[in-house]
Structures are given as structure tokens and as C-alpha cells.
Amino acid sequence: MNPTKALKLKGFGIMFLSSSLMGGIGAFARYIDAPGDFIAFNRSLAGLIGMTAIFLATKGFLKVRATKFTPSLLLSGVFLGLLSSLYVISTQMTTLANASFLIYTGPIYSTVLSAIFLKEPLKKSMIASLGAVLVGTLLIIGIINYTAGDGFTVGLDLDPQYMTGNLVALVSGVAYGLYLFFSRYRTDCDSNVRAGFNFLFAVVTIGVILMFRTPDLSGMDSRSWIVLAIAAVVTGFGAFYFLTVATRILLAGELAVISYQETIMATVLGLVLFAEPLTGMQALGGVLIVGGGLSQILASTKARPKRADGPDAVGAAPDREPTTPVQSAPEPAPVIASTLTADPAEPTAAPAMASAATAAAPAVAAPTAGTRSSRRTN
């Protein structure tokens, strides 16, 4: 096999693994008797500890010291913490499918903000993507519904069982969009350095929230602590580590497309492990959101593909904050990172983390821009 093609296949496999791990945070959260923000704090803390170990092993702190610190590095970390916290909370209040689909509306908000503040052109294809995601969101929440007797209906008579959780997931998508937006100011920054700053400020942000909202840990038994430790390592540091490896191989658009697999993983886990309902209209809404996000990626990366880790490119200016940022990939957020996260339109590059989330993806990596983080830094 051609060495280049083999390397690409390896990158796809690694990114698939990363987004799959990010998509699992919601399922882990169901087995932990603790608030979602406490779970998100430990997830981000595991990522920070892991990045510190990498920096110590590779003398990476030299790059950290050489990087010019700017407000965008602070704000991207703050919103990574918010999206991660809100996403995990939403997975405990609504279905895993709803939570993962709604956080992936983030790249659309990032597109709108970029058009307003960065004067990026809002093309017809982008407007169509916005419309698809908007309709998809209304279908999942239940504002638009369909029954055999009444046909299509539009109203605010929402299902009280999942309404609050859906709204929290939608707000996590807004935080994801802001994470992606501010991440795009520093596409020149080394991917590991940016991840380190993101985890640091995500930990600080969630830590401040926990200071004013003391979590009730009375229900935490030995099983919960063990599951929490595994979730933090697997969906936090593990998912991000594989995302970092993938960013060295794949282009931003390729990373972002695969990061959407996090929504599929979350949906499957919800159906298999918890028998969660997924109506035809909600499935259609998910297809519209994913389709709108993917079309954004293809449109934004078709003209000028760019690697997710811009600073590693020859001639990159490591300490300059560009006046007109280019789109980059998600870190999750997630997801992340969805998802993170997502870098995670980490789903541009997560999140997802959304997740990076989805995602921090979410981690990892997620969409208008390119990588949950996504993750739903889910």
C-alpha cells in the first residue's frame, strides 16, 4: 500500500477512536452519582495532568514559554469549561442522542459570529446550512412535531420530561460555538500548547463554578469513584491524546467530518444501554444538524485545506495573533470535544467535545472550522 495512503488510514482510525471515546462521556455520567459539572471538572483535570506529563517528557514547556499569551487563549479555555460542564449536565437530564446533536449546533453559531465580527463572507451554502441546523434543532426539541392525526404542528407544548435537558444542551452548543470562535484567533499556536491552556482554564472555570455551587457527593460510593476515574482518563486525556495524534496526520476538514461520529456513538449508547426513545422526527432533526455541519466543513475547506495544527506549518508565526483567522479544526470538546470537542470548529477542530463533550470535546474536536475538540469536549 502507498505509504501516504497508509498514513491517512491510520489517521482516520485514530480520529475515529478519539471521537468514539468522547461520545462515551454521557454514558459514563449515568453511572456516576455526582453533578455533571463535577464530572466535567475531573475530566478536564485529567486532561491537564496528562498534558503536563507530556510537556515534562518532551520539554514542551519551552514551547509554552515561547508562546505569546493573548485573551483568546483565556476565553477559548473558559468556554471549553462551560461547554463541557453544560454538556455533561444535559446528558443526565435528556437523552444522549438529544444532548449530542444539540451541542453540535455550536459550529453554526461560530459561523454567524465570524461573519459579524471577523467579516467572513456568509455564502448561500452557509445560509442553507444554518437553516438545516435550525430546523433540526426545532425538531429535536419538539417545537416542530408530526403526528399521523395532526400532521406537522408548531408550538411550545414541549415534553416536560426532556425539555430542561434539551435547553441545557442547546446552551452548551452556544458555549461550543463561542469556544470555536475564540479558538480561531490562534490558529498559529502549537496544538499541544493550545490544548494545555484550554485544559488549564477549563479547570479554573469549572472550579470557580463549584466554589459557588458546592456539589452534593453524598451518593458517591466506591463504584461511582471508580467509574469517574475511568471516565476522566478515557474521555478526557485519552480522547484528547488520540485527537492530538490525528491532527498531525489529517487535515482540519477531515478531522471535523470524523468528529461527527461522536453523535452516532452517543445515540447508539443511549439506545443500547438505556433504551432511550428516538422518534422519527428527532432522527430527522439529527440528520439535518449533522448534514448542515458537514456541508459547512466541506464549503470552508474546499478552497484552501489547512492542517489542524497551524503552528507546525513551515513559516508559521508562533507569536502573532492573525487579524483574519482561518478556520481550524475542533478539540472537544467535544469535545469534546466535541468535544469536544471539542477543538471541540474543533468539532471544528474539539468537540464535539462536544463534546470535547462534545468535549472538553468537547473534547475534541468540531464544525464550521474544522476539528469535539471536538465532542461533545461532549
Side-chain angles (χ1 to χ4, degrees):
M1 180 182 292
N2 183 290
T4 301
K5 182 179 292 187
L7 185 62
K8 278 281 187 182
L9 289 176
K10 178 181 178 181
F12 286 134
I14 293 172
M15 185 57 200
F16 184 87
L17 176 60
S18 173
S19 60
S20 297
L21 294 179
M22 292 178 188
I25 182 58
F28 275 112
R30 299 290 179 82
Y31 296 101
I32 303 172
D33 295 321
D37 44 6
F38 180 75
I39 298 172
F41 174 82
N42 285 275
R43 186 187 186 197
S44 296
L45 181 61
L48 179 60
I49 294 173
M51 286 309 306
T52 301
I54 290 176
F55 286 150
L56 290 173
T58 62
K59 298 183 179 179
F61 281 111
L62 295 176
K63 285 187 177 181
V64 176
R65 293 176 59 185
T67 300
K68 179 182 179 181
F69 181 79
T70 57
S72 60
L73 289 176
L74 167 65
L75 291 172
S76 63
V78 168
F79 284 109
L80 177 62
L82 291 176
L83 78 88
S84 178
S85 181
L86 291 169
Y87 174 68
V88 179
I89 291 173
S90 70
T91 63
Q92 297 177 322
M93 302 174 68
T94 186
T95 66
L96 299 185
N98 286 5
S100 63
F101 284 132
L102 291 174
I103 192 175
Y104 268 86
T105 60
I108 300 300
Y109 308 133
S110 176
T111 298
V112 174
L113 290 172
S114 297
I116 296 174
F117 295 103
L118 303 181
K119 308 304 179 184
E120 295 182 358
L122 193 62
K123 301 177 182 178
K124 292 181 179 180
S125 60
M126 294 182 180
I127 295 176
S129 297
L130 289 170
V133 172
L134 176 60
V135 174
T137 301
L138 296 179
L139 285 170
I140 289 179
I141 293 177
I143 293 179
I144 298 179
N145 202 0
Y146 175 83
T147 59
D150 299 329
F152 282 99
T153 59
V154 179
L156 294 177
D157 185 18
L158 306 180
D159 184 352
Q161 181 179 1
Y162 297 124
M163 180 180 67
T164 302
N166 288 341
L167 293 178
V168 173
L170 193 58
V171 176
S172 75
V174 175
Y176 183 31
L178 290 169
Y179 160 71
L180 297 178
F181 174 69
F182 286 111
S183 293
R184 291 168 67 177
Y185 276 93
R186 291 306 301 270
T187 58
D188 63 297
C189 186
D190 177 84
S191 57
N192 281 349
V193 172
R194 181 172 62 177
F197 277 121
N198 280 340
F199 278 126
L200 172 62
F201 292 119
V203 167
V204 172
T205 299
I206 304 176
V208 171
I209 294 174
L210 292 176
M211 289 175 60
F212 293 94
R213 184 178 177 273
T214 304
D216 180 10
L217 303 180
S218 59
M220 289 287 285
D221 54 16
S222 57
R223 187 203 69 172
S224 290
W225 284 109
I226 292 174
V227 174
L228 176 61
I230 295 173
V233 174
V234 172
T235 70
F237 173 69
F240 168 75
Y241 174 77
F242 289 119
L243 174 63
T244 302
V245 174
T247 61
R248 303 290 180 179
I249 303 173
L250 303 178
L251 299 174
E254 294 169 334
L255 289 165
V257 169
I258 302 175
S259 72
Y260 264 102
Q261 188 271 146
E262 180 181 342
T263 63
I264 299 175
M265 175 60 69
T267 301
V268 171
L269 290 175
L271 291 172
V272 173
L273 297 179
F274 308 106
E276 293 181 341
L278 181 66
T279 66
M281 289 295 99
Q282 289 174 319
L284 175 60
V287 170
L288 289 173
I289 290 177
V290 173
L294 292 180
S295 65
Q296 278 285 76
I297 297 167
L298 296 176
S300 63
T301 59
K302 182 178 180 180
R304 189 197 322 180
K306 180 177 178 61
R307 296 198 67 83
D309 49 348
D312 298 328
V314 176
D319 293 332
R320 180 173 60 85
E321 185 157 352
T323 54
T324 306
V326 294
Q327 290 181 333
S328 73
E331 292 169 14
V335 351
I336 27 83
S338 50
T339 354
L340 297 215
T341 233
D343 220 17
E346 290 180 321
T348 26
M353 247 61 202
S355 13
T358 357
V364 72
T368 46
T371 326
R372 58 359 37 69
S373 91
S374 267
R375 122 210 141 194
R376 114 163 96 193
T377 330
N378 324 218

